[in-house]
Amino acid sequence: MVRGRISGLSVRDVRFPTSLGGHGSDAMHTDPDYSAAYVVLETDAGDGLKGYGITFTLGKGTEVVVCAVNALAHHVLHKDLKDIVGDFRAFYRQLTSDGQLRWIGPEKGVVHLATAAVLNAVWDLWAKQEGKPLWKLLVDMDPRTLLSCIDFRYITDVLTEEEAFEILQKGQVGKKEREEQMLVQGYPAYTTSCAWLGYSDDTLKQLCTEALKDGWTRFKVKVGADLQDDIRRCRLIRNTIGPEKTLMMDANQRWDVPEAVEWMSKLAEFKPLWIEEPTSPDDILGHAAISKALVPLGIGVATGEQCHNRVIFKQLLQAKALQFLQIDSCRLGSVNENLSVLLMAKKFEIPVCPHAGGVGLCELVQHLIIFDFISVSASLTNRMCEYVDHLHEHFKYPVVIEKASYMPPKLTP
């Protein structure tokens, strides 16, 4: 039973010096310090439960997100949680349509990252009060109630609420069996931990070898800074993991459109499943051109971790600009907006392979992708969730990986 009024909202700037070891390094972000704006919501319910929410950053700038969270706080404080989740669509729109704050968005950038942190905390509090992990709260939710959490504004030309309802209704078939499958087998994952751009060859080989022993079969390598270096590193990794394992590549927005096509034609010999973020995340038509050009090479395009909002995803799908869609649990407007993207991806039959890693992204996005399989996509074909083995020790309930799969979080006290 949802209860209590929001009596407190605090936010902290939390940073880890991951740049010292080259962890997280890629062609565009050479010295990331994995960080988060960490939001805590308290209520007057007297049950001791708190809602925790984060948004992921790379160090400098986290203080700006903290300021944005504080600027949004008046929309949350002294509100009954029951009223918030009872008309979640309206509350989402209230946060994203603040008449003054939206000028520094709208629904993008720092103000949207702050919105995600606040909403993530609301969802966490709601799930705790219902006594369920988030994925289970979503799976058990009546389809109409679930859809009432989504703002369909700007996407009804692609997905109406009635179409979304039909998707969820179809997802009811076999739902119980899929939930049981997740509880036993987990959701398939791939690892990015082995091949950061700042790692030495010896480290790459050592980490790939250890990952193989641990049962990993899907690997991602960072590329884009230097072609000859990429060829050498990709050859080393492919030789280490063998021809039958899955390899993905990630350029982190480094290239122009023609450059992306030319570069990938040189890396095609290593048989990558996809090239991730080959160019600017805002360039829908550029992604479409790259996607079309790489079809003869058998290489797909993946993107999404820095897509501003559901509208960008809508256009990527309309333009046939990607073969793998990568949601991010903190870049979009929390669970609410991610639900709309999962439903659009289902309509277009594009597999969702979430971005994760950072600080808490694995802990968050596992709930969304497990829900997606059970209630929306009903498929594991060409689907996997990113895993990065950093900083999980700082969480009270870290992700559980077994046999290279995310095991669904259980109810916690």
Side-chain angles (χ1 to χ4, degrees):
M1 177 67 69
V2 181
R3 58 199 175 272
R5 177 172 293 191
I6 306 298
S7 58
L9 184 156
S10 60
V11 56
R12 295 179 61 189
D13 180 336
V14 182
R15 308 188 191 192
F16 299 90
T18 48
S19 62
L20 297 178
H23 310 309
S25 55
D26 61 54
M28 289 294 274
H29 313 95
T30 56
D31 60 345
D33 285 330
Y34 279 2
S35 306
Y38 190 69
V39 173
V40 182
L41 294 181
E42 299 181 64
T43 75
D44 61 5
D47 54 16
L49 297 176
K50 298 179 182 180
Y52 298 93
I54 66 167
T55 196
F56 172 58
T57 56
L58 293 185
K60 291 189 292 286
T62 312
E63 72 279 6
V64 184
V65 182
V66 168
C67 286
V69 169
N70 285 323
L72 289 168
H74 69 281
H75 289 295
V76 187
L77 287 169
H78 313 304
K79 299 286 195 307
D80 285 334
L81 184 61
K82 184 178 181 180
D83 292 338
I84 290 174
V85 303
D87 193 357
F88 218 152
R89 179 182 300 163
F91 182 72
Y92 177 89
R93 191 171 288 192
Q94 181 182 344
L95 287 183
T96 58
S97 300
D98 180 294
Q100 295 180 13
L101 288 174
R102 77 180 305 277
W103 193 256
I104 57 172
E107 294 186 78
K108 65 174 71 73
V110 169
V111 72
H112 212 43
L113 293 174
T115 298
V118 171
L119 289 173
N120 281 335
V122 172
W123 280 98
D124 183 58
L125 182 58
W126 185 9
K128 285 174 177 172
Q129 289 197 355
E130 295 288 354
K132 300 177 181 180
L134 176 60
W135 68 266
K136 183 63 171 168
L137 175 70
L138 295 171
V139 165
D140 290 348
M141 199 176 293
D142 172 78
R144 290 293 184 193
T145 303
L146 189 79
L147 295 177
S148 73
C149 300
I150 299 172
D151 188 352
F152 284 88
R153 183 163 58 178
Y154 309 136
I155 63 171
T156 55
D157 53 327
V158 159
L159 182 74
T160 66
E161 188 167 347
E162 283 307 309
E163 287 176 312
F165 179 73
E166 291 175 10
I167 289 172
L168 291 174
Q169 284 294 92
K170 290 178 181 177
Q172 298 294 312
V173 179
K175 187 169 154 182
K176 182 180 179 182
E177 291 76 13
R178 290 192 297 275
E179 181 173 340
E180 291 173 353
Q181 180 182 342
M182 282 292 97
L183 291 170
V184 173
Q185 299 178 10
Y187 197 94
Y190 72 88
T191 179
T192 305
S193 304
C194 303
W196 297 115
L197 204 60
Y199 284 179
S200 68
D201 287 2
D202 287 344
T203 299
L204 291 179
K205 191 169 183 179
Q206 176 190 343
L207 292 176
C208 286
T209 301
E210 290 174 356
L212 287 168
K213 291 178 181 177
D214 290 337
W216 292 94
T217 61
R218 306 172 184 91
F219 299 78
K220 189 167 76 179
V221 56
K222 298 291 184 174
V223 298
D226 178 271
L227 178 58
Q228 294 307 312
D229 188 57
D230 284 349
I231 291 172
R232 178 181 54 77
R233 292 170 70 253
C234 289
R235 179 169 289 120
L236 185 155
I237 291 171
R238 177 53 84 189
N239 288 342
T240 301
I241 68 175
E244 75 285 357
K245 300 296 189 292
T246 303
L247 181 66
M248 291 81 71
M249 299 179 183
D250 186 356
N252 288 96
Q253 315 156 37
R254 182 62 184 256
W255 302 318
D256 286 343
V257 173
E259 186 180 19
V261 175
E262 181 181 1
W263 205 295
M264 287 311 299
S265 69
K266 304 289 177 53
L267 297 181
E269 65 174 290
F270 305 109
K271 304 297 181 185
L273 177 65
W274 74 52
I275 176 61
E276 183 174 331
E277 289 198 306
T279 191
S280 165
D282 301 337
D283 191 354
I284 287 93
L285 297 183
H287 275 88
I290 295 167
S291 177
K292 185 177 180 180
L294 295 184
V295 168
L297 299 177
I299 302 172
V301 168
T303 196
E305 73 179 77
Q306 290 211 0
C307 285
H308 296 305
N309 49 50
R310 63 197 179 281
V311 180
I312 300 295
F313 277 111
K314 177 189 78 170
Q315 294 180 355
L316 286 166
L317 291 166
Q318 287 174 311
K320 300 179 180 178
L322 76 175
Q323 286 70 50
F324 302 91
L325 186 150
Q326 297 174 307
I327 59 169
D328 183 283
S329 53
C330 296
R331 175 71 58 177
L332 295 185
S334 185
V335 177
N336 311 69
E337 192 167 29
N338 272 300
L339 289 173
S340 70
V341 176
L342 293 176
L343 289 161
M344 284 192 289
K346 173 59 180 175
K347 181 176 178 180
F348 283 83
E349 293 296 345
I350 295 295
V352 176
C353 301
H355 170 244
V359 180
L361 296 184
C362 296
E363 279 75 11
L364 272 169
V365 84
Q366 61 179 337
H367 294 274
L368 297 176
I369 200 60
I370 290 168
F371 159 77
D372 180 62
F373 171 68
I374 295 172
S375 298
V376 181
S377 72
S379 172
L380 293 178
T381 303
N382 278 332
R383 297 167 190 269
M384 61 194 98
C385 186
E386 185 172 23
Y387 175 71
V388 176
D389 191 16
H390 299 310
L391 305 176
H392 301 293
E393 66 274 14
H394 299 286
F395 287 83
K396 187 173 182 180
Y397 303 106
V399 291
V400 176
I401 299 291
E402 293 180 3
K403 298 180 180 178
S405 295
Y406 280 87
M407 301 309 295
K410 304 292 199 314
L411 176 64
T412 53

